[in-house]
Amino acid sequence: MSRLKRLADRIGFLFSSTEARRRLWPPAPRLTEQHLRNCRVLPDRLRMLDEIPKQGVCAELGIFKCDFSEQILQKLKPSVLHLIDIDPESIRIAEERFSEEIADGRVVIHHQDSSTALLSLPEDTFDWIYIDGDHSYRGVQKDLQAAHRKLKPDGLISLNDYLFFGSSDLYKYGVIEAVNEFCLEYRYEILYLALHGRMYNDVTLRRIS
């Protein structure tokens, strides 16, 4: 979404009524106890990384300045980490920051749309996929569907910004709607809910056995 479109949306939000916002943004689909019975609440996403299996094949969709990418490499020690982003500046930072890991094949860079990059890879590739790209409903939906196709049967999917509306950026996120629909349709459960001080939380999903 362009900056001008986001600005227009924010201005529209400030002058809209409560009733108008409720009509525009209906509640997310309700999960059942089956989707939540194994869920653990964790202090933050760094603590969440402690629960992700080590030395697997991983992907991060949306890398920004690569600070979380660095944490993934340090904590998970993946055999391969695919870093995916459409922003040239993020790709440049990744190429500089992880030049040694790229040279030895531990990091692979994809300057592409995230769902397109995932779909170009073989099925049953990933042990863990972290989604932090396009936060619109349609963008998250596309990334989740692509991740589902490329995930190993016992693999995990984590997503950033599992919230309805952002207090810091006045942005309507589509992550909760997309995640809940995905869990209901594809039979996934929420395994971890990792908290954030302003509730820009993370969730980790696993197939229901």
Side-chain angles (χ1 to χ4, degrees):
M1 180 182 293
S2 71
R3 290 183 180 179
L4 286 177
K5 179 64 167 62
R6 284 198 177 192
L7 179 60
D9 287 347
R10 289 168 183 165
I11 293 172
F13 163 77
L14 290 173
F15 289 97
S16 64
S17 67
T18 300
E19 292 76 13
R21 291 193 295 273
R22 286 177 173 169
R23 287 194 300 271
L24 181 63
W25 305 327
R30 180 179 178 273
L31 298 177
T32 71
E33 291 184 11
Q34 182 184 37
H35 302 95
L36 300 169
R37 62 189 173 193
N38 294 310
C39 182
R40 290 173 53 199
V41 179
L42 302 173
D44 54 45
R45 69 176 182 171
L46 294 183
R47 176 64 183 84
M48 182 185 73
L49 285 181
D50 294 335
E51 303 296 327
I52 304 300
K54 308 300 184 285
Q55 300 181 335
V57 178
C58 304
E60 183 185 13
L61 282 57
I63 59 177
F64 192 41
K65 296 183 179 180
C66 300
D67 292 334
F68 195 55
S69 314
E70 185 74 50
Q71 294 291 336
I72 293 170
L73 283 169
Q74 290 180 7
K75 284 180 168 283
L76 299 188
K77 304 188 186 310
S79 58
V80 181
L81 174 59
H82 293 262
L83 298 179
I84 304 170
D85 209 298
I86 60 172
D87 177 45
E89 179 62 13
S90 295
I91 294 299
R92 184 194 65 77
I93 292 170
E95 289 174 341
E96 287 187 3
R97 192 163 181 172
F98 306 121
S99 57
E100 293 183 10
E101 292 84 354
I102 293 169
D104 65 22
R106 284 187 292 147
V107 169
V108 179
I109 304 294
H110 303 262
H111 186 193
Q112 279 182 289
D113 169 77
S114 50
S115 60
T116 301
L118 280 184
L119 291 173
S120 70
L121 298 167
E123 294 188 3
D124 295 335
T125 292
F126 292 102
D127 298 283
W128 179 64
I129 298 172
Y130 186 75
I131 298 175
D132 187 16
D134 180 350
H135 291 85
S136 70
Y137 166 75
R138 182 58 186 146
V140 180
Q141 186 183 54
K142 287 172 60 179
D143 284 342
L144 278 170
Q145 290 172 353
H148 171 70
R149 291 179 57 180
K150 304 304 174 177
L151 196 68
K152 293 178 181 177
D154 58 349
L156 302 175
I157 303 171
S158 298
L159 299 97
N160 185 234
D161 295 331
Y162 182 76
L163 81 165
F164 197 81
F165 187 84
S167 60
S168 298
D169 49 8
L170 301 182
Y171 175 62
K172 173 64 185 80
Y173 287 72
V175 182
I176 286 184
E177 295 95 317
V179 165
N180 289 12
E181 285 184 7
F182 178 79
C183 288
L184 291 165
E185 181 176 356
Y186 292 95
R187 288 183 50 79
Y188 277 72
E189 63 180 334
I190 295 181
L191 190 61
Y192 307 118
L193 170 64
L195 299 178
H196 179 275
R198 292 189 175 90
M199 298 309 287
Y200 287 78
N201 305 316
D202 281 41
V203 287
T204 297
L205 313 179
R206 177 180 67 181
R207 286 182 175 93
I208 297 173
S209 58

